[in-house]
Amino acid sequence: MSFELNEKRYLEELEKELAIDSVTGQYHELQDYLVKEIEALGFKTSTLHKGGIIADIGGEGNPLLITAHGDTIGMMVRHINDDGTIKVCKVGGLYAYHSERENVRVHTRSGKVITGCVQRKNASVHVTENELNEEVADFDKNSFVVLDEDVKSADDVRKLGIEIGDYVAIEPRYTFSNGYIKSHFVDDKALVAVLMELLHAVKDGSVKLSRKVYIYISFYEEIGHGGANVPSDVKDYLAVDIACIGPEQTSSERKVSVFCKDSRFPYNLDMIRELEEAGRKSGADYVPDIFTPHYGTDADPALVAGFDIRHAAIGPGTRASHGYERTHIDGIKNTYKLMAEYVTM
């Protein structure tokens, strides 16, 4: 059977999620939005004390947990400089060269949002050409947030309500062109939106679950402990995340990858075989791939935490991971097809 994703609804959902800043730890607004949307579809949710959403979406026996993460990489205010610029530190695997010249939003404790951008200390080619060309972008040395405010001192910045520890989020710059999805944070909001499509399909009966299925949206994947919470009856754990494209990768933007291994562990061989069978049955265009040396998913921490489960992962090929990322709607559709088939087998 072939399962088809509702492209229009999917893209609308993705754009809504991308518009909500959710740097790791800054989960409240996106969690509240997703809880409201999931419960509007008729599914009960529970939230983790640390942040995270679990929904039991039905089915009986042999429980499966499917996860995607709603947190993103970003920054935090590290120091307020005497000249009114802001030194930041990264949250998760963000590199300064991926954020340079990007617009940002500083979220103050009071809830006020102040805009700015990331620039070099010596940013003008007309004045400091050598420094700009020769220096590597570095949050500790030469890359700062410049606020869209008339500030000339640290006191001026603090009067706006900005303080050490405030979150700084990059604007996603989402666009959809000729089938290509381009944005910061395709990882992993593109896959959270895929899980929302699965919920629509379960509700309308186009996907009939052959087993009990939980959906888990985590908010700490980017720092390594998002997936460590598992309902006690879960037997299998499926992470849905991006498949990174590179010189020795088989992953493609228009295909879904079945992960064989990442930088931590091999994935469960029996689940890999089952997922490949689901790919063949559904007609999904899939490839196997291995992701080393710097990649892991939320399925890994569950094993480290000691749960006796099988784990696996799938996802669409995605370029420029942790930068301005790009995938294709075909890769999204193939991911959905394979996942929908798997929960009905």
Side-chain angles (χ1 to χ4, degrees):
M1 182 176 181
S2 181
F3 298 96
E4 300 299 330
L5 175 137
N6 184 320
E7 180 177 322
K8 182 177 183 294
R9 184 174 61 199
Y10 169 81
L11 292 172
E12 289 174 351
E13 173 64 27
L14 174 59
E15 190 167 8
K16 289 176 184 177
E17 292 178 19
L18 287 168
I20 302 173
D21 294 333
S22 57
V23 179
T24 302
Q26 183 199 13
Y27 63 86
H28 300 83
E29 186 178 357
L30 183 58
Q31 177 172 283
D32 290 347
Y33 165 77
L34 290 171
V35 165
K36 182 179 178 181
E37 293 299 303
I38 293 168
E39 292 188 345
L41 290 171
F43 302 103
K44 292 183 179 180
T45 66
S46 60
T47 55
L48 301 183
H49 188 57
K50 71 175 183 180
I53 306 166
I54 296 178
D56 181 343
I57 67 169
E60 295 183 1
N62 194 25
L64 167 70
L65 181 76
I66 307 178
T67 185
H69 65 91
D71 63 317
T72 72
I73 56 176
M75 294 164 278
M76 189 176 281
V77 175
R78 173 70 180 85
H79 178 73
I80 302 174
N81 299 319
D82 290 340
D83 63 356
T85 61
I86 295 176
K87 182 177 182 180
V88 296
C89 58
K90 66 180 183 178
V91 178
L94 176 67
Y95 291 92
Y97 62 82
H98 276 318
S99 59
E100 193 175 17
R101 298 179 294 278
E102 294 287 357
N103 291 320
V104 299
R105 295 185 279 255
V106 182
H107 292 259
T108 69
R109 303 286 210 284
S110 68
K112 184 179 179 182
V113 177
I114 298 168
T115 63
C117 63
V118 178
Q119 289 189 348
R120 298 278 191 98
K121 182 177 182 180
N122 297 315
S124 175
V125 69
H126 292 93
V127 180
T128 53
E129 179 180 7
N130 290 337
E131 290 90 337
L132 186 62
N133 290 337
E134 294 172 7
E135 290 183 342
V136 176
D138 190 317
F139 288 136
D140 285 327
K141 297 177 182 178
N142 58 23
S143 297
F144 307 95
V145 168
V146 180
L147 297 175
D148 299 334
E149 300 284 345
D150 185 16
V151 291
K152 297 179 176 64
S153 68
D155 284 343
D156 289 342
V157 173
R158 284 192 162 91
K159 287 175 182 176
L160 294 173
I162 295 173
E163 193 47 88
I164 308 303
D166 285 342
Y167 278 100
V168 181
I170 298 172
E171 289 189 4
R173 285 200 291 122
Y174 165 79
T175 186
F176 182 68
S177 177
N178 198 29
Y180 288 97
I181 297 166
K182 297 185 292 183
S183 182
H184 287 286
F185 320 130
V186 170
D187 176 15
D188 194 34
K189 291 183 179 180
L191 284 310
V192 174
V194 167
L195 295 192
M196 294 300 292
E197 275 299 297
L198 179 64
L199 295 181
H200 279 282
V202 171
K203 180 187 178 183
D204 68 26
S206 58
V207 168
K208 300 184 185 301
L209 302 175
S210 63
R211 60 193 301 188
K212 185 176 183 179
V213 177
Y214 295 101
I215 295 298
Y216 172 37
I217 310 298
S218 76
F219 290 103
Y220 292 91
E221 192 273 351
E222 295 293 359
I223 60 172
H225 65 80
N229 300 86
V230 181
S232 59
D233 60 342
V234 166
K235 299 298 183 185
D236 294 333
Y237 195 125
L238 178 64
V240 188
D241 210 330
I242 63 167
C244 305
I245 291 175
E248 296 183 353
Q249 307 302 134
T250 56
S251 294
S252 162
E253 290 168 289
R254 304 185 80 146
K255 299 180 181 182
V256 56
S257 293
V258 176
F259 298 17
C260 298
K261 180 186 179 299
D262 62 25
S263 61
R264 295 165 178 158
F265 316 118
Y267 286 93
N268 183 273
L269 181 59
D270 293 327
M271 279 193 77
I272 291 170
R273 288 169 172 164
E274 291 168 6
L275 288 163
E276 290 179 335
E277 177 62 20
R280 288 188 288 270
K281 282 187 173 182
S282 66
D285 194 355
Y286 75 91
V287 291
D289 211 347
I290 290 174
F291 303 97
T292 58
H294 304 298
Y295 186 87
T297 71
D298 255 339
D300 296 328
L303 274 77
V304 175
F307 289 96
D308 179 19
I309 57 175
R310 303 188 307 170
H311 81 313
I314 61 172
T318 304
R319 291 187 180 275
S321 61
H322 283 200
Y324 189 63
E325 297 163 336
R326 192 183 84 161
T327 190
H328 194 279
I329 192 65
D330 287 352
I332 297 295
K333 289 178 178 179
N334 282 311
T335 300
Y336 176 78
K337 279 184 180 181
L338 195 155
M339 178 182 65
E341 182 69 44
Y342 187 66
V343 298
T344 64
M345 287 172 56

